[in-house]
């Protein structure tokens, strides 16, 4: 079950070439499979469906934005006027698909944490 369509990607980002549309279709399937593994999907919950659509699109856009001259996803840029230098560093250069903390929170995915509890030792009088 796909949580988005190529038209959803284009509506949120930009028009895609035929090759990009094909890639987006595959990435939508990948993102949907990942989300299905993490979220208990309730087919009757329209709010959840809308959130899954948004998150799926965000995942695909992040994965696709690392290629080409698009500056979406750039974490650092350097431009100089002479001798004409331009440099970009992408926040996701390998095009990985991932969820942000906000997306996890919106979908109710627990991040978990590590903690410790001080042990009470017999004879310890400091309560």
């Amino acid at each position: 079950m796909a949580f988005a369509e190529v038209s959803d990607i284009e509506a949120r980002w930009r028009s895609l070439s035929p090759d990009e549309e094909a890639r987006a279709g595959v990435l939508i399937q990948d993102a949907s499979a990942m989300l299905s593994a993490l979220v208990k999907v309730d087919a009757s919950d329209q709010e959840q469906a809308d959130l899954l659509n948004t998150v799926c699109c965000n995942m695909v856009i992040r994965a696709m934005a690392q290629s080409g001259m698009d500056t979406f996803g750039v974490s650092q840029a350097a431009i100089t006027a002479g001798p004409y230098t331009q440099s970009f560093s992408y926040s996701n250069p390998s095009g990985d698909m991932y969820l942000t903390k906000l997306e996890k929170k919106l979908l109710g995915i627990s991040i978990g944490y590590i903690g410790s509890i001080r042990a009470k030792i017999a004879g310890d009088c400091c309560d």
Side-chain angles (χ1 to χ4, degrees):
M1 170 183 203
F3 296 123
E5 297 184 12
V6 173
S7 60
D8 295 322
I9 303 296
E10 290 182 316
R12 286 175 170 82
W13 190 26
R14 63 173 172 80
S15 296
L16 302 177
S17 71
D19 288 342
E20 290 174 322
E21 287 181 10
R23 181 170 180 232
V26 171
L27 292 175
I28 286 169
Q29 292 300 321
D30 292 347
S32 296
M34 292 170 68
L35 291 169
S36 291
L38 296 170
V39 177
K40 183 177 179 184
V41 179
D42 179 357
S44 65
D45 187 347
Q46 186 58 46
E47 182 179 357
Q48 183 191 50
D50 293 342
L51 287 171
L52 286 167
N53 176 271
T54 300
V55 171
C56 183
C57 288
N58 290 346
M59 292 172 71
V60 171
I61 291 169
R62 281 193 294 267
M64 293 184 71
Q66 55 79 31
S67 62
M69 291 301 294
D70 198 340
T71 57
F72 178 83
V74 171
S75 63
Q76 182 178 2
I79 301 172
T80 56
Y84 308 107
T85 301
Q86 185 175 20
S87 175
F88 295 100
S89 294
Y90 286 91
S91 57
N92 187 19
S94 59
D96 293 335
M97 298 183 87
Y98 61 90
L99 293 168
T100 64
K101 287 181 184 179
L102 175 61
E103 291 166 345
K104 289 178 184 178
K105 184 175 181 178
L106 290 172
L107 294 174
I109 298 170
S110 175
I111 298 171
Y113 65 94
I114 297 174
S116 64
I117 300 173
R118 186 175 147 195
K120 182 172 182 176
I121 300 174
D124 187 2
C125 64
C126 302
D127 286 325

